[in-house]
Each structure stands twice: as C-alpha cells, then as structure tokens.
Amino acid sequence: MRYKLGNKLSITYAIIAVVTVGMIAALFNLFVEKYFIEYVKANNETMIHTITHSIEHQYHNVDKWDKNKLRAISDDALKEGLILVIKDKEGRVIWDTSKNKGMSDELLLSYIENNMRRRYKNWNGKIEKKEVPLYYEGEELGSAVIKYYGPFYFTENEFDYINVRSRIIRLVMMVSISLSVLLGIIISRQISVPIEKAIRITKLISEGNYKTKIDIKSNAVEIDELVKAVNLLGEKLEKQNTMRKRIVSDIAHELRTPLAAIQSYLETLIEGVWEPTIDKLNNIYREVLRVNRLVGDLSKLTRYESETDNLNIQLLDLDEVISRIIMNFSSEIHKKDIRLKVDTNVKSIYADEDKISQVIVNILSNSIKYTDTGGEITITTYENNSKVFIKVKDNGIGIPPEDLPHVFERFYRVDKSRQRNTGGSGIGLTITKAIVEAHRGNIRIES
C-alpha cells in the first residue's frame, strides 16, 4: 500500500509520540510506585507509633482506660486500615475493635483487600499483627496489638492520590500525544508541500513549460536545495530548448544557402540556360564541399563531446606541435604579412595530440582570418600552479562585449555575412571548447 509522504510522516510522528510518552509514563509509574510503596510502609510505622502514643496519652490524662476515647482512637485507626486490640498488663483485653464492631478482622478490612486486588491482580497480602508495649511514667500498662494487611496496603486517601496521579498522567499523555501529532503534521507539511509542488513543477517542465518556477522558501537546507535544483533545471532546459531551436534554424539556414545554389545551378544546366562548363561545375562542387564540411564539423563536434573518456593521452612535445601548425599556416601568414611571435616556456605536456592540435589550429586560424594585413599574432605557453596555459593574442578586429558570452555556442556569428564570406561553419570554437573541457581544462576569450 502506498501512502503520501505527509500522511506517512504524520503517522510516524504519532507512533513515536505514543511509544515515547507511553514508555515515559510506564517508567514514571514504575519508579514512583516503588518509592510510594516504601513511603506507605514508613508511614504505617509512623501511624502505629502515633496510635500507641495516643493510647498512652489518654491513660496519662485519666489514670485509667477511657472506653470512649479508646473507641475514638480505634475508629481513627480503622480509617487508616489498622485494627486495635488493647490489653492490660495482666493480658486482659481492654478493647477489641473487631468485637466492638461485631465483625471479623477480614470483614473490617475487606475494602482494603478489594481495592488492592483491583490494582494488583497478583496481590497476596494477608493480615499481620504487631504487638507494641504501652508505658505510663516508666511503668508498663499493657500492650497494643495492631492488625493490618501486609506486606503493604493503601488506604482510601492513598488510593485517591493514586487515581488522581493516574488521571494526571493520562491527561499529560493525551496532551503530549496531541501536541506531538500536531507538530508532526506541521513539520510534515513543511516537508511534503514543497516536494509536492516540486513534483507538479517537474511535470510541467516535462511538458515543456520551462519558465514555471517554485516560489517556496524553506529553512530546511535539503528542501531549499531541491527547490533551487528544480528551478535551475527549468532554466537550463529553457536555455537548451532555445539553443536547440536556434541550432535547428541555423543548420537549416546553413544548408539552405549552398543547397539553393546547387539547385539553381542544376536547374539552369537542365533547362539549357547554361552550358555545363568547367567553371559552372566547379561552382557546384564548391557548394557541395561546403555542405560536406558543415556536416563533417557537426559530426566532429558530436564525437568530441561524447569522447570525454576516450582521449589518447600521452606525453607530447608542445613546442614541436606548435611549430608544425605554424608551418602549415606559413602561406596564409606570409600573404597577409603578419608578424608572428612565439614565446614557449613549456616543453612537454600530457594530452591527446590530435585533439590539442585541433584546438591550436582552430584558434590560430581565427586569429589569421580576422587580423588585418601587417598585423601581429603572439603565441605564448607557460605553466602556473601545475597548469599549462596556451595563449594566442592578436591585434585583429576584435569582438563586441555583448557577443563574448556566446562565441563558443554552435553557429553563433558576430557578423554572419563576414563568417560566410570567410567560409566558417560557426562551430570551430564550439569544437575547441569541447576538446579543452574533455581534457578537464577551460577556455576563455578576451577582447
């Protein structure tokens, strides 16, 4: 059976509250009962001493046994669960509560037995007797035989106290459990409500409503992190969705231009408007190469982004790699009369040679393309804090500040017409960034 988190938390709090309060009440009763019984036993001894003192005191006042006063003392003692038998020094019975009442000892104390057996099912008390000598001015008057239930018993007043104490404990238990359940409901709602809202929002996000946000603030770190994570997920999905639409639009645009040119050339050739000369066929071929290059770059980007764990890391000579790449660009550098400076301070590194070469090629290619004739390019390598830095600097046309955050995005162009004229596909820097991050590095651009 499945339960909602809020209900489950509330039930759990209720169970914990019942068990905890129940255990506390049981332990409280256990210890209090133990000490209360000890108190009752001590109190009974005190009561016996008080009664014998009262008997001696009445004799002291009248120098004889006063039956009326003995009856009063006997009645008070009976209320405390004590039966008196008073004897003189010859052993003659002066007073016997049972005979005076015309009832047996058991019948006189039956209320105590009934109460004790109701409270203690296994109570096995029996009537015990204790004989205490009586004295007047140092002379023995006789003795008082006191009968009572042993090993202990409770009087009516003591049972009233126990019943009141039990009612108070039950009341405290009910209040504690109620407050615990109420607190559990409040806490469970503080936990479950944000989670339920997060569930609703994630469902909306899954349906494409990426702008939906959770507007709940919580003092719980985990709940607050969950809310932030869901909101961040929506933001990132919205950005990815926007980027995906733009990428599809850009790919369609990039493919449309060369395909339209190829279609136009072929239609004019088919209709006989143009003769299939070498120049016309070369134009078609260049557009096909352009489409093929775009598809190849996309395939290369996909491969680089998915091959993070498939790098062929090895020790390579960075100076040699850079020198080889510069040699390959020597013709373009010479044509534009660019001054190229190289300041290498790192001999070798661990990296994937092919992919790192692709990074340097892409960056140097862009620098050469957008550096004016007679310009200057500087390549610097250095090491800092166990990290290798490769820096390419030029004095070319630069990039506007508003375009800097987007230069590594697919098909992003600062000047679309210029990029198309220079033959770029718009994903060279995206490939570069993917390769650098695959090496657990980072790349940035300043202008």
Side-chain angles (χ1 to χ4, degrees), residues 32-48 80 82 112 116 120 123 148-159 161-162 165:
V32 169
E33 191 89 347
K34 176 183 176 181
Y35 289 111
F36 185 66
I37 290 173
E38 295 298 324
Y39 160 78
V40 168
K41 288 180 179 179
N43 188 59
N44 286 347
E45 291 295 326
T46 303
M47 184 62 64
I48 291 172
E80 300 298 328
L82 303 174
I112 291 179
M116 293 298 290
Y120 302 100
W123 185 74
Y148 55 88
Y149 267 112
F152 70 92
Y153 67 92
F154 297 148
T155 64
E156 288 291 344
N157 289 335
E158 289 163 346
F159 270 114
Y161 160 75
I162 291 172
R165 187 188 72 195

Side-chain angles (χ1 to χ4, degrees), residues 1 17 106 139 157 164 206 212 230 273 325 328 335 357 361:
M1 184 179 293
E106 287 78 8
E139 181 182 353
N157 289 335
V164 169
S206 68
T212 311
V230 173
V273 177
I325 293 171
N328 293 337
K335 285 180 181 178
S357 297
V361 166

